[in-house]
Amino acid sequence: EVQLVESGGGLAQPGGSLRLSCAASGFTFGSSTMSWVRQAPGKGVEWVSSILSSGSLTHYAEAVKGRFTISRDNAKDTLYLQLNSLKTEDTAMYHCAKPPRWGCWAVECFTIRGQGTQVTVSS
């Protein structure tokens, strides 16, 4: 059974930073493209970033490019998302997700995802 457990969310001020983690189990993590998606209150799921199984390729949504960094540690079966220069519009529940393949960015690609960790950006 695929399990994805996120942690690291919290309250941050505008311009601040947070680091999210996602512990994965139940599948071959090191062979899987992984992603982060988010959902703000009253809005739909939004793709944030993806990373290839080897970690050699990453892709970001325009809204977070240059501010967020996705990474992974295949030895620890863990996915990360470093959030810098946070904005109030980054407030959302952030989910770790397992898309079926690299290049799958549509919302329907992220049905396999964890429960999420809340990020709130406010002064």
Side-chain angles (χ1 to χ4, degrees):
E1 178 188 3
V2 173
Q3 286 199 327
L4 300 168
V5 180
E6 302 91 339
S7 61
L11 176 65
Q13 292 189 336
S17 298
L18 287 171
R19 190 192 194 204
L20 309 184
S21 298
C22 171
S25 62
F27 64 102
T28 307
F29 180 79
S31 299
S32 302
T33 288
M34 295 297 295
S35 300
W36 287 97
V37 300
R38 67 185 181 185
Q39 187 166 21
K43 296 189 177 181
V45 173
E46 176 189 17
W47 168 74
V48 173
S49 181
S50 292
I51 185 167
L52 196 61
S53 56
S54 64
S56 61
L57 195 59
T58 59
H59 191 44
Y60 297 93
E62 284 298 322
V64 307
K65 195 174 292 184
R67 300 188 299 119
F68 292 6
T69 303
I70 191 171
S71 62
R72 64 192 297 160
D73 185 337
N74 287 345
K76 296 182 178 180
D77 289 354
T78 303
L79 179 72
Y80 303 100
L81 186 68
Q82 178 69 40
L83 290 66
N84 295 333
S85 302
L86 282 162
K87 304 177 180 180
T88 55
E89 53 262 43
D90 294 321
T91 295
M93 184 72 75
Y94 283 72
H95 302 266
C96 168
K98 182 182 177 301
R101 62 188 179 279
W102 178 259
C104 196
W105 316 131
V107 170
E108 54 265 30
C109 298
F110 305 114
T111 55
I112 299 175
R113 59 180 186 257
Q115 290 298 308
T117 186
Q118 178 68 38
V119 171
T120 302
V121 184
S122 175
S123 56

